[in-house]
């Protein structure tokens, strides 16, 4: 990454610090609430410093049988991981084909994907998808929340864009001359070049799947929830136990933060490298 | 990232295909194999629901009741339904209110992040943090911040002698509150994307401009923004899809999932309208018709935005 | 998809399949094996209910049953606290899809009209001899369980005898009496209630007199409906009468009067802010059908024990709410499900539910049981709830519901909330209220 030899003005620094505070504050607030009591939660002004009640909030959270919070966490991890791995694989394969291979109809097929991205499947697909899952006998099981999320036009689109910049044509050509098969090119040239892009896509997909709420609410049962429906159940079991709700919410975003911090460098790098010369 | 409606320039045809029939298949057949998983899945979990929805929209059907074919009746009813248009206006209004400041802020933020700084990675990660937070979490947090009696925002306003605002009550306040949730979540992400594009702008452009005595601000407007056009198109495209299907934030903001979007539908979005018709009033056919109209709305919105962003002229 | 099958042999499919295989073994399979009720393997009967706090209150009753019936084990699940927007759509979908519904399902009164109009989805309980139970229930509760084919598809659980809940600590602060007998004497009718409210407001306790429009509106509506042919929003031929029914207008007018006088805390029932105010003492009174006691206990929490109390409701009696149990046709074990339903809606089931959740029995034998008539509620300062509720449902006339009752109710109450909070002008509110009702009735 090249950097322009400009120094940040004081105004810039203030802007950035302000932006950072704005970004972090609501999250900070959530973690604060997870360490307070319900009496604190309804105070004016609202509490802004941590209290010492995290332990008991977590205990109450785990003791709420209706919520099956731990099951929810495990299920969400299974679902999000499976969906992420599959979508990244599907998207890089298709993206590579669209960006670097010639085949009749590729334009049309890619255009179709753009249109599919505009379909509000969230709202349109619920009734037919539910009937489909019933027919397959999958209601209440995890595959019912995994399979529909494998359809991810954004991923294909993004990987197409990314591959066209990240993989030089010359490399593909040279490999062809050496007699490499298409899959060989994919494995030896495309995948290594796409790593940063894959990291970004993986994060976005993992996040989206982890945070999905509406569809699991309809198709799963409370005894086998995902983390978001588990939080909804917490909310209904203890409507006014706000701090427990915040504790659950905090616990539900924590895994994402961990993933984010671990892969932060690659993710930012990937986002940055995805840039294109205008 | 740019938004190209056609595939990018393709690699040249291979000089020497591997010999034999397998080689020909490798060139002609394998590309289709590579893209097929997506289309197969999409056929089952995308096309089927869409077609089913279209078929439903031509019927009068109450959930778990009888279906009767009514042709285009649902569409005719929708177009004359004031509450549907109210939802459309809300959706467009909140989209504008959320997207415009979001883009301006993202541009400013990207510009600031583009300077030489200590702790760059930390800053970049910091502004991405909201994106990682789940919508449910965002809604839980912000609904608390905006609550009438115990909320931080009303408390801050009370320093200036402002009476507690019921944020859900009026169009302007509910739109503002929901837009801030959307902005908070997406500004950082857009800033990083724009920043990435900024770093590819050739430096000599700026140097030449500086020699001509252009101020930093002028350089930003004359060089940076026009050069960012393709990326802006991409960002706007993604924001449009998100904005037109806005759902979780207003629902959580309402605090009860009845989908009415406030007492008189102050902030009911089209997506909420669809869910309300389908799963509160069980009027499935009507909801399906509304879903198709939403799809059309997104198409039109994308086209308009695309046309609009293309007209940002580069500085010559 | 057969012609695609060959192509899907990619790593993707394998990953997905591996995952599917991995999670097929996990829990969450709600289907019970089909078998001919052999004694070797117990039949599992899923009972699905809804409601906040203690909901249907079947924990103890189920424990007792399971101990006594090794061959029929009840699995009792409360799916959600939200009936209209979560439980009902989900139940309808599962009925429609022919799978996923419980063997015994709870239905709230607001949706009974809707379910009665869908006879194809429910087992005929008279096939299992449950028509013998007619004498156990008040006529209205029994008749609501007959569907449009005239078949018995549901039996009553609780009913919503009416009281007024109030906060002792706030009443004390306002210089009002705190003893429930005396509090009841403060408001023989709604006018007196209104005057008490003005006194309370004048005392400037920092809290409001009542929660908001919803609970009071429903209390008055269900008191007025019996005076107008036992009708609320629909007449017996399912025509909307929201504008014509004086009961609706009277209830509306009272809410408007309370709201304009500034007696309400402007809170929507069931909103998080309402929850908070129940806990934090944001208001002093709310209309309280019997099942609301469990809700308050759940929302106000242990720390508020003794702060809430129950007094007689102005105007004396009324019923708001209550539920039924039904057996979906899709159940694999309708006979056993009917047995379980018979037990839960029987005297013992009713009494256990009342002890656990304060759900007042609609079963006449249960109402007369000393355990019910003599029960005191510890959370509410040992209020003799058994007596209070029994008094409020004596000679009760429950109300007819149309198929779209729940939708109309939601729509018109939204207007009330808007009016109370200032989003709808007082002089336009009635017009908007009727419009909303007409629209929701479709």
């Amino acid at each position: 990454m090249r950097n322009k030899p400009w120094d940040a003005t004081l105004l810039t620094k203030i802007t950035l610090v302000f932006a950072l505070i704005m970004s972090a504050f609501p999250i900070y607030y959530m973690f604060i609430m997870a360490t307070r009591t319900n009496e604190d939660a309804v105070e004016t002004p609202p509490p802004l410093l941590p209290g010492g009640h995290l332990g008991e909030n977590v205990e109450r959270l785990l003791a709420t049988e209706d919520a099956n919070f731990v099951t929810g966490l495990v299920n969400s991890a299974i679902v999000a991981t499976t969906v992420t791995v599959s979508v990244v694989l599907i998207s890089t394969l298709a993206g590579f084909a669209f960006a670097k291979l010639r085949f009749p109809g590729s334009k049309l097929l890619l255009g179709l994907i753009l249109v599919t991205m505009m379909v509000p499947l969230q709202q349109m697909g619920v009734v037919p998808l539910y009937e489909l899952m019933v027919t397959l006998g999958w209601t209440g099981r995890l595959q019912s929340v995994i399979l529909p999320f494998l359809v991810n036009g954004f991923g294909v689109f993004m990987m197409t864009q990314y591959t066209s910049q990240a993989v030089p044509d010359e490399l593909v050509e040279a490999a062809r001359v050496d007699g490499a098969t298409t899959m060989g090119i994919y494995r030896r040239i495309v995948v290594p070049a796409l790593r940063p892009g894959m990291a970004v896509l993986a994060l976005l997909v993992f996040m989206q799947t982890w945070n999905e709420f509406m569809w699991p609410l309809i198709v799963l049962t409370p005894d086998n929830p995902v983390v978001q429906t588990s939080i909804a159940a917490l909310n209904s079991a203890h409507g006014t136990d706000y701090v427990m709700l915040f504790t659950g919410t905090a616990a539900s975003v924590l895994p994402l933060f961990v993933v984010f911090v671990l892969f932060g460098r690659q993710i930012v790098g990937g986002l940055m490298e995805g840039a294109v010369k205008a | 990232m740019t938004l190209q409606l056609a595939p990018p320039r393709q690699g040249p045809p291979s000089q020497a295909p591997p010999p034999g029939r397998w080689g020909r298949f490798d060139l002609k057949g394998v590309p289709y194999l590579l893209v097929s998983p997506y289309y197969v899945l999409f056929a089952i979990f995308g096309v089927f629901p869409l077609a089913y929805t279209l078929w439903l929209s031509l019927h009068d059907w109450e959930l778990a009741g009888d279906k009767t074919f009514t042709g285009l009746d649902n569409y005719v009813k929708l177009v004359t339904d004031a509450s549907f248009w109210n939802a459309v206006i809300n959706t467009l209004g909140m989209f504008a209110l959320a997207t415009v400041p979001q883009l301006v802020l993202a541009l400013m933020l990207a510009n600031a992040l583009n300077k030489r700084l200590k702790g760059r990675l930390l800053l970049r990660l910091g502004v991405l943090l909201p994106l990682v937070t789940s919508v449910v979490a965002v809604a839980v947090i912000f609904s608390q911040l905006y609550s009438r009696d115990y909320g931080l925002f009303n408390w801050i306003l009370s320093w200036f002698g402002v009476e507690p605002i019921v944020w859900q009550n009026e169009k302007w306040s509910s739109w503002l509150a929901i837009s801030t949730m959307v902005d908070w979540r997406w500004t950082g992400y857009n800033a990083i994307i724009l920043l990435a594009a900024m770093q590819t702008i050739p430096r000599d452009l700026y140097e030449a401009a500086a020699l001509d005595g252009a101020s930093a601000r002028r350089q930003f407007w004359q060089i940076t923004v026009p050069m960012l056009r393709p990326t802006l198109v991409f960002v706007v495209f993604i924001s449009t899809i998100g904005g037109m299907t806005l759902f979780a934030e207003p629902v959580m903001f309402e605090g009860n999932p009845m989908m009415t979007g406030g007492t008189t539908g102050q902030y009911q979005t089209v997506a909420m309208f669809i869910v309300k018709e389908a799963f509160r009033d069980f009027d499935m056919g009507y909801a399906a018709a509304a879903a198709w109209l939403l799809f059309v709305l997104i198409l039109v919105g994308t086209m308009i935005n695309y046309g609009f962003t293309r007209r940002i002229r580069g500085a010559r | 998809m057969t012609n695609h099958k060959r192509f899907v042999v990619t790593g993707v499919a394998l990953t997905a399949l591996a995952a599917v295989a991995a999670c097929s073994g996990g829990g969450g399979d709600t289907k019970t094996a089909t078998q001919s009720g052999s004694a070797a393997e117990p039949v599992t009967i899923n009972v699905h209910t809804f409601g906040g706090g203690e909901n249907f209150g079947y924990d103890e009753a189920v424990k007792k049953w399971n101990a006594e019936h090794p061959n029929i084990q009840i699995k009792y699940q409360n799916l959600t606290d939200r009936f209209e927007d979560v439980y009902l759509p989900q139940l309808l979908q599962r009925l429609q899809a022919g799978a996923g519904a419980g063997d015994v399902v709870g239905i709230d009164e607001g949706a009974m009209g809707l379910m009665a109009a869908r006879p194809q989805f429910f087992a005929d309980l008279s096939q299992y001899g449950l028509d013998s139970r007619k004498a156990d229930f008040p006529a209205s509760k029994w008749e609501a369980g007959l569907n449009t084919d005239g078949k018995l598809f549901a039996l009553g659980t609780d009913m919503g005898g009416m009281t007024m809940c109030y906060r002792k600590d706030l009443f004390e602060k306002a210089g009002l009496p705190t003893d429930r007998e005396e509090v009841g004497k403060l408001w023989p009718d709604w006018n007196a209630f209104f005057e008490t409210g003005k006194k309370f407001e004048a005392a400037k306790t920092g809290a409001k007199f009542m929660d908001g429009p919803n609970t009071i509106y429903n209390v008055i509506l269900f008191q007025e409906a019996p005076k107008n042919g036992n009708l609320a929003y629909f007449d017996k031929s399912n025509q909307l009468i929201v504008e014509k029914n004086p009961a609706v207008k009277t209830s509306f007018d009272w809410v408007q009067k309370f709201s304009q006088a500034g007696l309400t805390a402007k809170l929507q029932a069931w909103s998080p802010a309402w929850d908070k105010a129940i806990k934090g003492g944001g208001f002093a009174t709310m209309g309280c059908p019997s099942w609301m006691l469990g809700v308050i206990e759940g929302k106000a929490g242990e720390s508020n024990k003794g702060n809430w109390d129950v007094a007689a409701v102005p105007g004396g009696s009324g019923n708001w709410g209550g539920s039924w149990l039904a057996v979906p046709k899709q159940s694999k074990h309708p006979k056993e499900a009917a047995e379980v339903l018979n037990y839960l809606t029987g005297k013992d089931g009713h009494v256990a539910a009342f002890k656990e959740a304060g759900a007042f029995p609609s079963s006449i034998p249960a109402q007369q049981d000393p355990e019910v008539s003599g029960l005191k509620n510890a959370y509410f300062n040992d209020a003799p709830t058994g007596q209070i509720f029994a008094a409020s449902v004596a000679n009760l006339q429950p109300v007819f519901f149309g198929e779209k009752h729940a939708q109309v109710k939601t729509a018109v109450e939204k207007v009330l909330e808007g009016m109370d909070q200032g989003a709808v002008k007082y002089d336009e509110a009635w017009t908007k209220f009727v419009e909303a009702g007409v629209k929701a009735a479709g």
Side-chain angles (χ1 to χ4, degrees):
Chain A
M1 282 189 261
R2 295 167 303 150
N3 285 299
K4 306 185 181 65
W6 300 338
D7 287 324
T9 57
L10 183 64
L11 183 68
T12 308
K13 283 179 183 159
I14 292 172
T15 310
L16 285 173
V17 169
F18 182 70
L20 206 55
I21 291 172
M22 288 298 285
S23 294
F25 174 73
I27 297 167
Y28 171 79
Y29 181 75
M30 171 176 67
F31 284 111
I32 291 302
M33 287 305 244
T35 66
R36 309 292 299 226
T37 61
N38 282 307
E39 281 67 34
D40 300 344
V42 293
E43 272 177 15
T44 319
L48 295 176
L49 290 169
H53 302 278
L54 181 60
E56 62 199 63
N57 289 342
V58 171
E59 263 168 47
R60 280 213 310 286
L61 173 69
L62 298 179
T64 307
E65 281 176 23
D66 302 345
N68 292 313
F69 194 77
V70 177
T71 317
L73 275 177
V74 173
N75 279 345
S76 277
I78 295 171
V79 171
T81 309
T82 314
V83 170
T84 304
V85 171
S86 311
V87 167
V88 168
L89 197 58
I90 292 172
S91 304
T92 48
L93 285 171
F96 163 55
F98 282 131
K100 297 291 159 194
L101 304 175
R102 277 197 181 175
F103 55 104
S106 65
K107 255 189 185 166
L108 184 75
L109 285 173
L110 188 64
L112 192 67
I113 290 192
L114 273 182
V115 176
T116 65
M117 284 168 68
M118 299 177 202
V119 176
L121 261 185
Q122 276 267 315
Q123 284 86 35
M124 294 175 92
V126 171
V127 180
L129 281 179
Y130 186 77
E131 296 206 8
L132 185 69
M133 292 304 163
V134 170
T135 314
L136 294 167
W138 287 354
T139 48
R141 297 199 194 168
L142 293 187
Q143 55 265 44
S144 65
V145 284
I146 290 173
L147 286 161
F149 292 120
L150 299 184
V151 178
N152 193 320
F154 174 80
V156 177
F157 177 72
M158 178 179 156
M159 281 341 242
T160 304
Q161 299 287 329
Y162 201 91
T163 313
S164 62
Q165 305 133 31
V167 180
D169 284 349
E170 296 78 23
L171 267 181
V172 179
E173 224 171 310
R176 284 263 188 234
V177 173
D178 292 347
T181 60
T182 309
M183 281 318 282
I185 293 172
Y186 173 79
R187 268 195 306 271
R188 286 206 307 272
I189 297 170
V190 178
V191 172
L194 290 190
R195 284 224 171 95
M198 284 178 174
V200 179
L201 180 62
L203 174 85
L204 291 175
V205 173
F206 192 91
M207 229 172 52
Q208 201 185 351
T209 316
W210 183 271
N211 295 339
E212 190 51 46
F213 174 65
M214 202 168 132
W215 174 241
L217 186 73
I218 285 167
V219 79
L220 293 179
T221 47
D223 53 357
N224 195 34
V226 292
V227 75
Q228 306 296 344
T229 49
S230 192
I231 288 178
L234 276 185
N235 206 356
S236 64
H238 301 277
T240 43
D241 201 338
Y242 286 93
V243 294
M244 190 171 78
L245 185 63
F246 271 101
T247 309
T249 311
S252 78
V253 298
L254 210 56
L256 287 180
F257 284 171
V258 169
V259 171
F260 186 63
V261 168
L262 285 179
F263 300 103
R265 190 177 288 275
Q266 283 93 317
I267 287 159
V268 175
L271 278 173
M272 304 291 297
E273 281 179 41
V276 205
K277 279 206 168 57
Chain B
M1 287 185 212
T2 60
L3 179 73
Q4 292 161 303
L5 293 167
R9 202 171 57 79
Q10 315 214 313
S14 151
Q15 307 289 314
R21 255 201 321 186
W22 169 248
R24 261 225 311 285
F25 176 75
D26 190 60
L27 274 187
K28 293 272 185 296
V30 168
Y32 291 105
L33 273 186
L34 295 184
V35 298
S36 61
Y38 175 80
Y39 288 97
V40 171
L41 284 164
F42 186 73
I44 304 169
F45 298 107
V47 177
F48 161 69
L50 270 179
Y52 188 97
T53 309
L54 185 60
W55 178 77
L56 262 189
S57 74
L58 305 175
H59 290 75
D60 180 25
W61 180 45
E62 287 224 349
L63 185 59
D66 301 327
K67 288 190 186 78
T68 37
F69 183 81
T70 54
L72 293 173
D73 266 13
N74 283 325
Y75 291 95
V76 175
K77 259 200 297 188
L78 256 183
V79 177
T80 54
D81 184 346
S83 58
F84 176 72
W85 290 112
N86 171 59
V88 171
I89 287 166
N90 287 343
T91 307
L92 292 173
M94 280 187 259
F95 166 65
L97 205 59
T99 309
V100 176
Q102 196 184 129
L103 286 181
V104 173
L105 282 171
L107 261 175
M108 283 168 54
L109 197 56
N111 203 33
L113 285 169
N114 205 6
K115 304 282 196 275
R116 184 185 300 168
L117 289 156
K118 283 202 184 69
R120 255 201 342 243
L121 182 66
L122 183 75
L123 277 167
R124 286 170 187 177
L125 284 178
V127 298
L128 278 178
L129 212 48
L131 182 70
V132 186
T133 314
S134 68
V135 181
V136 174
V138 170
V140 166
I141 297 165
F142 274 77
S143 299
Q144 179 91 354
L145 294 175
Y146 277 113
S147 88
R148 184 188 68 189
D149 300 332
Y150 314 99
L152 188 77
F153 289 128
N154 278 349
W155 179 61
I156 290 172
L157 286 173
S158 70
W159 303 343
F160 306 100
V162 180
E163 285 289 300
I165 295 172
V166 186
W167 291 89
Q168 279 85 347
N169 248 1
E170 301 288 336
K171 262 201 195 310
W172 69 268
S173 57
S174 55
W175 286 18
L176 196 69
I178 291 163
S179 302
T180 50
M181 295 186 206
V182 179
D183 284 350
W184 180 76
R185 197 141 181 260
W186 289 102
T187 303
Y189 169 77
N190 288 332
I192 295 289
I193 301 262
L194 288 169
L195 171 64
M198 269 181 198
Q199 304 216 317
T200 65
I201 299 173
R203 242 186 310 172
D204 46 12
L205 280 180
Y206 291 101
E207 280 155 8
L211 282 176
D212 291 345
S215 63
R217 177 167 309 184
R218 187 140 176 220
Q219 287 177 26
F220 176 75
W221 285 110
Q222 297 280 326
I223 299 166
T224 313
V225 174
M227 295 295 278
L228 288 180
R229 207 194 66 199
T231 315
L232 280 171
V233 176
F234 172 81
V235 168
V236 168
F237 175 69
I238 297 296
S239 307
T240 306
I241 291 173
M244 292 294 146
T245 53
L246 184 64
F247 178 76
E249 287 92 344
V251 170
M252 291 297 213
F253 181 62
E254 187 162 21
N256 64 42
M258 289 316 290
M259 305 293 153
T260 47
T263 46
T264 54
Q266 298 92 320
Y267 48 93
Q268 188 190 41
T269 62
V270 180
M272 287 167 84
F273 180 89
I274 293 168
V275 174
K276 179 178 184 296
E277 290 299 331
F279 298 107
R280 300 295 172 269
D281 301 351
F282 310 118
D283 203 342
M284 289 289 166
Y286 201 57
W292 268 90
L293 279 186
L294 173 61
F295 179 44
V296 172
L297 191 76
I298 293 173
L299 268 176
V300 172
T302 313
M303 294 300 164
I304 291 173
N305 276 319
Y306 187 66
F308 180 76
T309 330
R310 280 190 63 160
R311 296 190 44 189
I312 301 177
R313 286 269 166 270
R316 285 266 162 252
Chain C
M1 71 176 263
T2 41
N3 17 352
H4 293 299
K5 263 218 167 98
R6 281 169 303 154
F7 294 128
V8 192
V9 190
T10 63
V12 179
L14 291 177
T15 323
L17 287 174
V20 169
C23 46
S24 303
D29 187 2
T30 49
K31 283 211 197 75
T32 46
T34 353
Q35 28 95 358
S36 48
S38 61
E41 239 190 292
V43 171
T44 304
I45 295 297
N46 288 296
V47 177
H48 287 174
T49 61
F50 56 89
E54 300 291 333
N55 62 77
F56 278 53
Y58 286 155
D59 285 335
E60 286 307 315
V62 167
K63 262 192 204 123
K64 186 162 170 268
W65 170 280
N66 283 346
E68 291 167 9
H69 302 77
N71 292 339
I72 305 175
Q73 290 291 296
I74 301 177
K75 195 168 166 201
Y76 163 48
Q77 285 185 306
N78 188 61
L79 299 189
T80 168
D81 64 331
R82 313 199 54 94
F83 177 77
E84 282 155 338
D85 50 79
V86 179
Y87 183 91
L88 179 60
Q90 202 176 50
L91 175 62
L92 279 171
Q93 282 205 358
R94 290 177 175 170
L95 292 173
Q96 161 81 26
D103 300 291
V104 176
V105 295
I107 302 169
D108 180 81
E109 74 170 5
M112 282 303 280
L114 188 79
M115 293 303 179
R118 289 163 169 70
Q120 69 275 30
F121 293 125
F122 293 99
D124 174 5
L125 297 177
S126 54
Q127 285 184 340
Y128 307 102
L130 267 57
D131 44 349
S132 62
R133 299 276 314 278
K134 191 166 179 173
D136 291 356
F137 294 94
S140 53
K141 192 82 187 175
W142 178 261
E143 277 155 24
L146 302 174
N147 59 32
T148 45
D149 289 358
K151 299 271 193 312
L152 178 69
F153 81 104
L155 285 184
T157 58
D158 63 326
M159 60 201 308
M162 209 90 79
T163 59
M164 184 64 73
C165 292
Y166 67 100
R167 270 193 84 118
K168 280 179 90 157
D169 51 347
L170 290 174
F171 268 50
E172 193 166 10
K173 218 170 164 182
L176 293 166
T178 57
D179 173 70
R180 70 181 71 93
E181 287 292 324
E182 303 204 16
V183 170
K185 283 186 194 130
L186 286 176
W187 50 59
D189 57 26
W190 289 104
N191 255 322
F193 184 75
F194 181 73
E195 294 306 321
T196 312
K198 288 212 289 208
K199 271 193 209 123
F200 181 91
E201 289 300 322
K204 299 238 179 306
T205 55
K208 285 286 175 190
F209 184 59
M210 52 211 279
D211 56 344
N214 314 73
T215 58
I216 291 297
Y217 170 77
N218 280 295
V219 171
I220 301 177
L221 179 63
F222 287 110
Q223 286 186 344
E224 291 295 321
K227 302 175 192 169
N228 294 288
N230 291 328
L231 301 173
Y233 302 124
F234 291 90
D235 65 15
K236 296 263 161 80
S237 55
N238 248 324
Q239 292 303 302
L240 185 76
I241 51 167
V242 69
E243 199 168 8
K244 292 201 290 254
N245 187 352
V248 176
K249 185 72 167 87
T250 308
S251 322
F252 173 92
D253 288 342
W254 273 114
V255 171
Q256 189 161 45
K257 188 172 175 179
F258 291 131
S259 175
Q260 270 180 302
L263 302 184
T264 61
K266 301 190 189 322
L267 294 165
Q268 296 170 27
W270 317 111
S271 68
W274 183 76
D275 294 353
K276 260 189 191 167
I278 290 177
K279 195 185 174 84
F283 54 82
T285 64
M286 65 190 269
C288 247
S290 50
W291 45 265
M292 192 70 92
L293 268 57
V295 174
I296 291 181
E297 188 173 341
K299 290 189 188 296
E302 225 17 59
S303 58
N304 272 312
K305 192 171 173 176
N307 278 344
W308 281 97
D309 210 322
V310 251
V313 71
S317 71
N319 175 77
W320 166 21
S323 300
W324 281 258
L325 292 179
V327 174
K329 245 194 194 130
Q330 57 178 254
S331 168
K332 298 265 192 306
H333 311 285
K335 182 172 154 288
E336 291 84 353
E339 277 175 55
V340 168
L341 186 147
N342 191 33
Y343 163 72
L344 291 173
T345 59
K347 185 182 149 185
D348 292 356
H350 272 287
V351 172
F354 179 65
K355 289 203 304 209
E356 195 170 309
F360 191 72
S362 59
S363 147
I364 296 163
Q367 284 180 13
Q368 292 161 346
D369 187 281
E371 282 216 79
V372 172
S373 55
L375 195 81
K376 294 182 161 39
N377 187 319
Y379 190 84
F380 289 80
N381 299 305
D382 289 323
T385 41
Q387 283 172 26
I388 297 175
F389 290 128
S392 79
V393 296
N395 50 44
L396 191 73
Q397 296 283 325
V399 178
F400 172 81
F401 295 110
E403 193 180 335
K404 288 260 185 184
H405 175 89
Q407 282 84 5
V408 173
K409 174 183 187 293
T410 305
V412 297
E413 284 188 34
K414 276 283 166 200
V415 178
L416 286 178
E417 290 158 9
M419 173 183 83
D420 190 38
Q421 296 172 0
V424 177
K425 291 195 183 70
Y426 286 113
D427 51 5
E428 292 171 7
W430 176 249
T431 318
K432 287 220 161 113
F433 180 97
V434 172
E435 273 173 19
V438 171
K439 208 171 163 342

